[in-house]
Amino acid sequence: MTPRKILLAVSGMSPQIITETLYALIHEKNWIPDEIRLITTLIGKRNAVQQLLEDEKHFFRLLQDFGITQEVRFDEDCIIVIRDGRGQELPDLRTPEDNEAAANVISEQLRLLTSDPEEGQSCTELHVSLAGGRKTMGFYAGYALSLFGRPQDRLSHVLVSEHYESHPDFFYPTRSPRMIHTRDGQMLDTSKARVYLAEIPFVRLRNRLPETLLRGTHSFSDVVRLAREATEAVQLVLQPRNGQYSVNGRTGRLTSLQMALLAWVVERALANKPPIEPVVDGEYRPAGELLHVAERYWLDLNIRTTETLREQGITQSWLEQNISKLNSALVAALGPDLAERCKLASRIIGDRRGYALPDDIVLHIDGSTEQDE
């Protein structure tokens, strides 16, 4: 199925970014979008409608001028106006809160346009232009595309020749001569203008992001935070003697048994010992090593738990049940995305399969010294 091509642009007061980018895409890339979407302010929408759409204005003139017969959808419904936290359309972006609202709208639009297609719908091929609007809007568009962009998506800026750039009457290089006036009274022929497409490479982080981030609705700041947590190195620090731990600065508490189990796994990893291998065919696995860890860190285990471990050892069902409880505690404290990167699970390490933490995690135990051994 042929991807649906979408041009997404951000703009402020001047809607020329649409026609300039469309002209460059047609002439340099032979790329004609099926649809154009514009993210702007209330004033920006008014200007876009008046200058590009009403009375067969410059958008339609460009298509006619260059013989584009393919349908390119661009109407008022394709213009997304940035709204504040109360749902009011913003005339302009003047405060930090306005900028935050713009970031949220841009991020959510990029997430939606790059999401997996629903059944019966074609996938999209997205081209994002960051040439218009305030500088922060362009930054947000580029950053969001870096987070959500796929291999087929592109990012660009347009470069317009001197004197024509930012001229209120210039929209694209026309095929026939058309004269416009400069502020100092000089005449410019729009057919002699030059518009170039500057494609901007960007780092695609999509494949490294958790699925919940790609599917859920988050504010821009939450997206950045979650993306950072999902891509940064994870550092797990245990403080077993007070029942606390921290992961990249976010703290939580565990029961004595959960802390003993986690400390046991961490100590084995730090000592380059094999992971905790599962019990096979009811094989008896002594619990002495786990109980020794609990004793060394003054972790007060329930008497019945201690007796069961001494008598029955570590069974498969006991291990799976308590690993599940430990992982649930991590999710509750850290959230699903960060917890996913430090969960205890069945893994293959070297030629051994067993229960262990991810091998890319940085581990440390406070209070673990040679004297304790």
Side-chain angles (χ1 to χ4, degrees):
M1 187 177 293
T2 303
R4 181 172 176 79
K5 297 177 180 177
I6 298 178
L7 168 61
L8 175 69
V10 294
S11 81
M13 306 299 182
S14 303
Q16 285 93 332
I17 177 61
I18 292 292
T19 46
E20 291 169 353
T21 303
L22 181 57
Y23 170 89
L25 285 170
I26 292 171
H27 286 80
E28 292 189 29
K29 302 293 184 181
N30 194 29
W31 194 90
I32 303 174
D34 298 295
E35 181 179 340
I36 298 173
R37 294 201 188 183
L38 175 64
I39 300 175
T40 185
T41 60
L42 186 59
I43 296 175
K45 178 178 180 179
R46 182 194 65 192
N47 291 348
V49 171
Q50 290 177 349
Q51 298 177 42
L52 300 182
L53 300 176
E54 280 184 355
D55 303 321
E56 299 293 306
K57 282 287 179 65
H58 297 283
F59 168 69
F60 299 102
R61 292 176 184 173
L62 185 153
L63 298 180
Q64 184 177 15
D65 211 4
F66 294 99
I68 305 300
T69 58
Q70 174 185 321
E71 181 182 358
V72 181
R73 187 192 171 201
F74 182 50
D75 51 40
E76 287 194 50
D77 292 337
C78 297
I79 303 176
I80 300 101
V81 177
I82 298 164
R83 298 174 181 266
D84 63 17
R86 297 170 296 176
Q88 300 297 312
E89 294 181 332
L90 292 174
D92 195 6
L93 306 181
R94 297 193 176 276
T95 68
E97 291 75 20
D98 295 345
N99 272 306
E100 183 177 354
N104 293 338
V105 171
I106 293 169
S107 176
E108 180 62 7
Q109 280 297 309
L110 263 295
R111 187 191 68 81
L112 289 172
L113 291 174
T114 57
S115 60
D116 293 331
E118 297 180 3
E119 186 175 353
Q121 294 182 344
S122 62
C123 64
T124 59
E125 180 181 326
L126 192 62
H127 191 105
V128 177
S129 174
L130 48 70
R134 295 189 179 275
K135 292 178 180 179
T136 50
M137 294 178 70
F139 171 81
Y140 294 141
Y143 199 117
L145 188 62
S146 186
L147 292 172
F148 299 118
R150 304 152 302 173
Q152 69 265 35
D153 300 323
R154 297 292 181 266
L155 180 68
S156 75
H157 195 310
V158 287
L159 305 174
V160 181
S161 54
E162 190 179 6
H163 304 306
Y164 295 92
E165 184 179 10
S166 301
H167 193 295
D169 294 326
F170 176 75
F171 288 84
Y172 63 92
T174 54
R175 293 191 68 174
S176 304
R178 175 175 173 265
M179 308 309 293
I180 57 177
H181 296 271
T182 64
R183 291 181 179 179
D184 57 7
Q186 295 182 8
M187 301 290 288
L188 293 175
D189 182 355
T190 58
S191 68
K192 297 185 181 301
R194 295 292 179 265
V195 173
Y196 304 97
L197 190 74
E199 194 164 316
I200 302 171
F202 62 95
V203 177
R204 291 170 174 81
L205 301 175
R206 183 185 185 91
N207 291 337
R208 298 179 62 188
L209 301 182
E211 196 65 28
T212 52
L213 183 57
L214 299 175
R215 293 180 179 177
T217 300
H218 302 280
S219 68
F220 179 77
S221 58
D222 283 342
V223 169
V224 173
R225 176 180 59 80
L226 292 169
R228 185 177 63 244
E229 290 177 351
T231 55
E232 283 183 345
V234 174
Q235 182 175 33
L236 171 64
V237 178
L238 300 187
Q239 297 174 319
R241 285 177 176 150
N242 61 19
Q244 292 185 332
Y245 67 93
S246 68
V247 178
N248 290 6
R250 298 174 68 177
T251 60
R253 296 188 65 86
L254 296 172
T255 67
S256 294
L257 179 57
Q258 291 167 354
M259 180 59 75
L261 181 58
L262 187 56
W264 181 33
V265 173
V266 170
E267 283 197 351
R268 290 184 66 86
L270 291 173
N272 292 318
K273 292 182 178 180
I276 302 169
E277 294 179 314
V279 178
V280 179
D281 297 330
E283 176 188 351
Y284 178 79
R285 179 180 302 286
E289 188 178 351
L290 172 61
L291 292 172
H292 179 62
V293 170
E295 188 177 306
R296 184 145 44 82
Y297 291 115
W298 300 87
L299 296 169
D300 189 15
L301 302 185
N302 181 282
I303 294 177
R304 289 186 60 183
T305 299
T306 302
E307 290 176 350
T308 299
L309 287 172
R310 291 190 186 282
E311 293 173 3
Q312 301 178 13
I314 298 176
T315 64
Q316 181 74 16
S317 61
W318 183 93
L319 192 57
E320 290 178 349
Q321 181 181 26
N322 284 282
I323 286 175
S324 176
K325 290 179 180 179
L326 169 60
N327 288 338
S328 295
L330 294 175
V331 171
L334 304 175
D337 302 319
L338 187 54
E340 189 64 35
R341 301 192 63 205
C342 53
K343 278 184 177 180
L344 189 57
S346 177
R347 308 179 192 278
I348 297 177
I349 299 179
D351 59 350
R352 310 283 283 274
R353 173 179 284 278
Y355 295 100
L357 295 165
D359 58 5
D360 61 347
I361 190 170
V362 179
L363 303 172
H364 179 74
I365 301 182
D366 285 351
S368 178
T369 64
E370 293 181 0
Q371 287 77 14
D372 292 325
E373 299 296 335

